């Protein structure tokens, strides 16, 4: 697989709270140079990214309800619509994780549906097709719940299900940190659940070309990473990937 082909799967991401304008500009320049699918930035930088990428095919992605998913549906809608009006092409929304853990799946479904509908409506007013990705935070949920949330997202008309924010910090009973990003198991589970026609985004802890290959072969068709440049610089174009 060529570097150009791999780059088309990558959301070049910078969501660190300390990120400033100069770093966002550099992120956009890198995304354009390598041909990444999008830049993923916090909502405050959507307008900046859109300006920097005005003559580029690279999309502007932003996050909603990030990173906890614990804002109200109305707040998520307001945040998403504002971002779309500022130039966002793609919205990555965090589900109500607490509701999912409680088994309140109807609440999760309603939250996703209303945000998706609001994003699609806002895009329609601008003659744009807004892509909506649903962040599940798989490291905090069991497999049954992940399946149920994926089905909610699919029914709601979301375009992707996404593994992680990259900001969760699950701990074991002794207080030690547990893995918090994308895993091969979860990506496979999500792909099996949503079928071949819906997107699966693997995000969180993806820092190497080897991990990108693992996630693509598991069924991901979008990769969220802040290490896109390093991955491109270390990519071996002779590598064969068995895509789902």
């Amino acid at each position: 697989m060529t570097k150009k082909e791999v780059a088309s799967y990558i959301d070049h991401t910078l969501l660190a709270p300390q990120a400033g304008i100069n770093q966002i500009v550099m992120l956009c320049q890198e995304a354009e140079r390598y041909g990444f699918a999008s830049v993923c930035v916090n909502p405050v930088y959507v307008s900046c990214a859109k300006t920097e990428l005005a003559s580029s095919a690279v999309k502007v992605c932003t996050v909603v309800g990030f990173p906890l998913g614990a804002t109200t549906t109305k707040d998520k809608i307001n945040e998403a619509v504002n971002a779309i009006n500022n130039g966002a092409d793609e919205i990555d929304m965090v589900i109500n994780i607490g509701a999912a853990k409680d088994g309140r799946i109807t609440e999760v479904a309603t939250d996703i549906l209303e945000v998706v509908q609001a994003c699609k409506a806002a895009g329609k007013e601008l003659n744009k097709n807004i892509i909506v990705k649903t962040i599940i935070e798989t490291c905090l949920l069991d497999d049954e719940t992940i399946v149920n949330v994926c089905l909610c997202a699919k029914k709601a008309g979301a375009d992707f299900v996404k593994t992680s924010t990259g900001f969760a910090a699950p701990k074991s009973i002794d207080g030690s940190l547990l893995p918090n990003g994308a895993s091969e198991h979860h990506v496979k589970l999500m792909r099996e659940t949503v079928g071949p026609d819906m997107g699966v985004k693997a995000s969180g802890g993806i820092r190497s070309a080897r991990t990108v290959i693992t996630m693509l072969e598991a069924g991901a068709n979008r990769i969220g990473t802040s290490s896109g440049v390093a991955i491109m610089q270390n990519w071996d174009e002779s590598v064969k990937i068995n895509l789902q």
Side-chain angles (χ1 to χ4, degrees):
M1 182 175 278
T2 67
K3 288 184 179 182
K4 184 176 181 180
E5 289 171 329
V6 175
S8 71
Y9 289 98
I10 291 177
D11 288 347
H12 193 34
T13 303
L14 180 55
L15 297 170
Q18 70 273 24
I21 288 287
N22 291 340
Q23 290 168 287
I24 299 301
V25 170
M26 182 178 296
L27 186 84
C28 293
Q29 291 172 345
E30 291 169 344
E32 191 165 10
R33 183 183 313 136
Y34 289 99
F36 293 133
S38 81
V39 294
C40 188
V41 298
N42 281 307
V44 70
Y45 292 123
V46 165
S47 295
C48 171
K50 194 65 176 179
T51 298
E52 290 297 319
L53 295 167
S55 60
S56 170
V58 178
K59 302 297 185 183
V60 176
C61 174
T62 195
V63 287
V64 166
F66 191 87
L68 304 178
T71 50
T72 67
T73 301
K74 183 177 180 180
D75 287 336
K76 291 177 186 178
I77 289 170
N78 288 339
E79 190 174 18
V81 171
N82 185 56
I84 291 165
N85 288 334
N86 285 337
D89 304 294
E90 303 189 356
I91 300 292
D92 289 15
M93 67 158 289
V94 188
I95 67 161
N96 184 334
I97 301 165
K101 285 187 70 68
D102 281 349
R104 293 182 279 124
I105 297 301
T106 299
E107 291 183 34
V108 176
T110 299
D111 185 50
I112 297 171
L113 176 63
E114 292 187 8
V115 173
V116 169
Q117 289 179 335
C119 289
K120 298 296 184 180
K124 188 175 182 179
E125 289 186 7
L126 298 171
N127 295 314
K128 294 174 62 174
N129 177 38
I130 302 299
I131 298 298
V132 183
K133 310 188 200 90
T134 304
I135 306 176
I136 295 176
E137 204 68 282
T138 50
C139 66
L140 299 178
L141 304 175
D142 60 32
D143 283 4
E144 181 180 0
T145 305
I146 291 168
V147 167
N148 287 335
V149 174
C150 284
L151 292 174
C152 289
K154 184 175 182 178
K155 186 175 181 180
D159 299 284
F160 283 78
V161 285
K162 176 179 171 180
T163 58
S164 321
T165 63
F167 283 75
K171 295 181 180 180
S172 67
I173 195 167
D174 66 1
S176 58
L177 288 174
L178 297 171
N180 74 339
S183 74
E184 181 180 8
H185 167 73
H186 286 143
V187 171
K188 285 182 176 179
L189 178 65
M190 292 160 71
R191 173 54 67 204
E192 289 169 2
T193 301
V194 302
D197 298 326
M198 188 176 183
V200 174
K201 178 175 174 178
S203 183
I206 300 174
R207 302 184 182 91
S208 70
R210 178 67 256 175
T211 308
V212 169
I213 293 168
T214 298
M215 295 304 160
L216 293 177
E217 291 188 333
N221 58 341
R222 192 73 73 89
I223 303 292
T225 179
S226 58
S227 301
V229 172
I231 289 166
M232 289 293 96
Q233 291 173 342
N234 291 288
W235 190 262
D236 180 354
E237 294 193 343
S238 68
V239 170
K240 304 295 182 183
I241 300 178
N242 297 313
L243 297 178
Q244 291 283 326

